[in-house]
Amino acid sequence: MYKEKISGNQVFWLISTMQIGMTILLTINPSIAVAKQDAWISILLSSMFSVGLAYVLTRISIMYPNESLISYAPKIMGKFLGHVIILIYVLYWFTVLGIILRQYGDFMIGTILQLTPVIIPIIGMLIVAAYVTYAGIEVLARCSEVLGPLILLGIMVPLLLNISQIQLDNLQPIIMDNTFSVLLKGALPTASFLGDNILLMMILPFVADPRKGVRGALLGSVVAGLFTLLSAMQCIAIFGYSTASRQTYPFLNLVRFISFGFLQNLDAIVVAIWIMGIFIKVSLYLFAASYGTAQWLGVKRWRSFIFIASPIAIILSMLPRNFVDSSILFPKLVAVPFNLPVVFILIPLLLWIVAMIRNRKKKHSQKQQPEATS
């Protein structure tokens, strides 16, 4: 049993706040560049995928209650394949943690800290995340409860203030000049970010009430997808797909576009909101990498691995040379071709299907035993 416990409501805030910030920041542009005015449809497909992934992960968690990926993978797939799967996810956690930190650093020096070395904001974020992670998943969950409403409000307010600027003609024609394959291709960048709810494998064992945990996981994925969808639609409706596709951060420009009475120049506030979301995301990945590795190696004092994972994350974050490497080449060469089909689709489905088969065989054998004794 896991001593630390979180509520279903906290699962909702963890998942929604972790996914919203960077997804809106980094995936709207590539989706619009591919699917043009139909990018919102591509993001809708990505959102449906995210909810489907959350459903699969919660089904596995129900079959193996109070167990994480580290404990149930060998039971489902056998020791050898189980440990291979664990190794894949450990490498994924560390790699993505480094990339998130670099993307955060590139964003900060590209917007408000132009003369600052990229490693400074990276180290600053990691120190804060390590402090909260060391305190445990309960403290991190409480942080998400406090910061979550502020993050959602920080995205909702700009959307509401820009309603009068919307031009629905920019959203037309709908699916007239795009094939389904193009829409699917446009969905890949967003799906590779919304697939972050794969961390449910490490979060759900700590939920006090599994049923509420399932509800929180699914609802959090829905809210994250919905906010990304609305943000993309408004960026296209206001700027048009041609202009939005040439903007590195369309939503940030959307915020700068606000002119509502005395409410202007809100981009600094939104940047602060995004930093909160990235903080939750970095902390969750650091927790998964530290706790998961320690559990895999059989080390009870998992917090000691934070002091190992943090330097590794800094080294990995400095491997990309610039914004192009971290936010364009990594998604194109690693996230979309490997993480999405293997880490987010193939392995979870394989675990779910094999687990269902094993459970059915187990129930069938249990029914036969009383008949044989009678």
Side-chain angles (χ1 to χ4, degrees):
M1 290 289 291
Y2 294 81
K3 294 181 180 180
E4 295 182 89
K5 291 296 178 182
I6 61 177
S7 66
N9 186 51
Q10 289 172 332
V11 173
F12 164 78
W13 287 115
L14 281 171
I15 295 301
S16 59
T17 55
M18 173 193 68
Q19 290 187 311
I20 287 176
M22 292 193 72
T23 304
I24 292 176
L25 184 68
L26 296 174
T27 67
I28 290 179
N29 170 273
S31 293
I32 295 175
V34 174
K36 300 178 181 178
Q37 75 278 359
D38 291 328
W40 65 273
I41 301 177
S42 295
I43 292 175
L44 177 60
L45 295 175
S46 302
S47 304
M48 293 169 63
F49 159 75
S50 176
V51 176
L53 176 59
Y55 176 81
V56 170
L57 297 176
T58 54
R59 293 300 98 186
I60 299 174
S61 177
I62 289 173
M63 286 186 281
Y64 293 88
N66 301 316
E67 294 190 50
S68 70
L69 167 75
I70 310 300
S71 57
Y72 65 62
K75 293 181 181 179
I76 296 174
M77 302 302 299
K79 287 186 177 181
F80 177 74
L81 285 179
H83 286 292
V84 169
I85 289 173
I86 294 171
L87 176 61
I88 291 174
Y89 280 100
V90 169
L91 294 175
Y92 163 78
W93 293 329
F94 277 99
T95 302
V96 174
L97 176 59
I99 288 295
I100 293 170
L101 287 169
R102 183 51 186 262
Q103 289 172 336
Y104 164 73
D106 288 336
F107 171 72
M108 294 301 292
I109 65 172
T111 54
I112 59 177
L113 301 174
Q114 287 88 351
L115 301 180
T116 305
V118 69
I119 195 171
I120 299 301
I122 289 175
I123 292 177
M125 174 60 73
L126 193 57
I127 289 174
V128 178
Y131 177 79
V132 173
T133 304
Y134 190 88
I137 188 68
E138 285 185 354
V139 175
L140 178 56
R142 290 170 187 167
C143 286
S144 70
E145 276 189 306
V146 175
L147 300 178
L150 296 176
I151 294 171
L152 294 187
L153 188 65
I155 297 172
M156 186 183 303
V157 169
L159 293 178
L160 294 175
L161 293 179
N162 271 319
I163 287 180
S164 61
Q165 308 294 332
I166 290 176
Q167 300 179 32
L168 295 178
D169 290 342
N170 288 332
L171 294 171
Q172 299 176 353
I174 300 176
I175 321 181
M176 292 296 292
D177 53 354
N178 281 321
T179 62
F180 181 75
S181 61
V182 172
L183 296 177
L184 193 60
K185 185 178 179 182
L188 296 180
T190 308
S192 66
F193 273 73
L194 290 178
D196 279 328
N197 57 10
I198 195 73
L199 289 175
L200 286 167
M201 288 177 163
M202 301 301 297
I203 296 174
L204 290 175
F206 294 93
V207 180
D209 188 339
R211 292 183 180 179
K212 292 183 179 179
V214 170
R215 190 184 312 155
L218 293 174
L219 188 57
S221 300
V222 170
V223 169
L226 179 61
F227 271 76
T228 307
L229 172 64
L230 294 176
S231 300
M233 290 185 72
Q234 195 165 101
C235 287
I236 299 169
I238 291 176
F239 297 124
Y241 76 84
S242 180
T243 301
S245 65
R246 295 194 299 268
Q247 298 172 344
T248 305
Y249 305 117
F251 190 81
L252 182 60
N253 291 327
L254 189 73
V255 175
R256 290 171 174 167
F257 193 70
I258 294 174
S259 180
F260 191 83
F262 65 92
L263 294 176
Q264 296 180 2
N265 301 320
L266 299 179
D267 48 309
I269 298 176
V270 175
V271 168
I273 295 297
W274 275 329
I275 291 175
M276 296 179 193
I278 293 171
F279 156 69
I280 297 295
K281 190 167 189 173
V282 169
S283 300
L284 271 175
Y285 268 97
L286 182 60
F287 170 79
S290 303
Y291 184 85
T293 304
Q295 190 181 18
W296 185 31
L297 299 178
V299 179
K300 293 184 179 179
R301 296 182 178 179
W302 68 269
R303 287 175 172 83
S304 61
F305 273 82
I306 296 175
F307 301 102
I308 300 174
S310 297
I312 293 175
I314 292 175
I315 293 172
L316 292 175
S317 70
M318 298 309 296
L319 293 181
R321 294 166 297 180
N322 47 39
F323 171 83
V324 175
D325 285 357
S326 64
S327 300
I328 298 178
L329 292 182
F330 179 81
K332 183 179 180 180
L333 300 178
V334 180
V336 172
F338 180 77
N339 291 349
L340 184 57
V342 177
V343 177
F344 299 158
I345 299 177
L346 178 61
I347 295 179
L349 284 178
L350 187 62
L351 288 170
W352 184 36
I353 293 171
V354 176
M356 286 194 298
I357 294 173
R358 285 184 178 274
N359 279 4
R360 286 179 182 177
K361 287 184 178 180
K362 185 178 179 179
K363 290 179 180 179
H364 183 68
S365 62
Q366 289 175 347
K367 288 181 179 180
Q368 288 183 332
Q369 285 179 357
E371 294 178 359
T373 54
S374 60

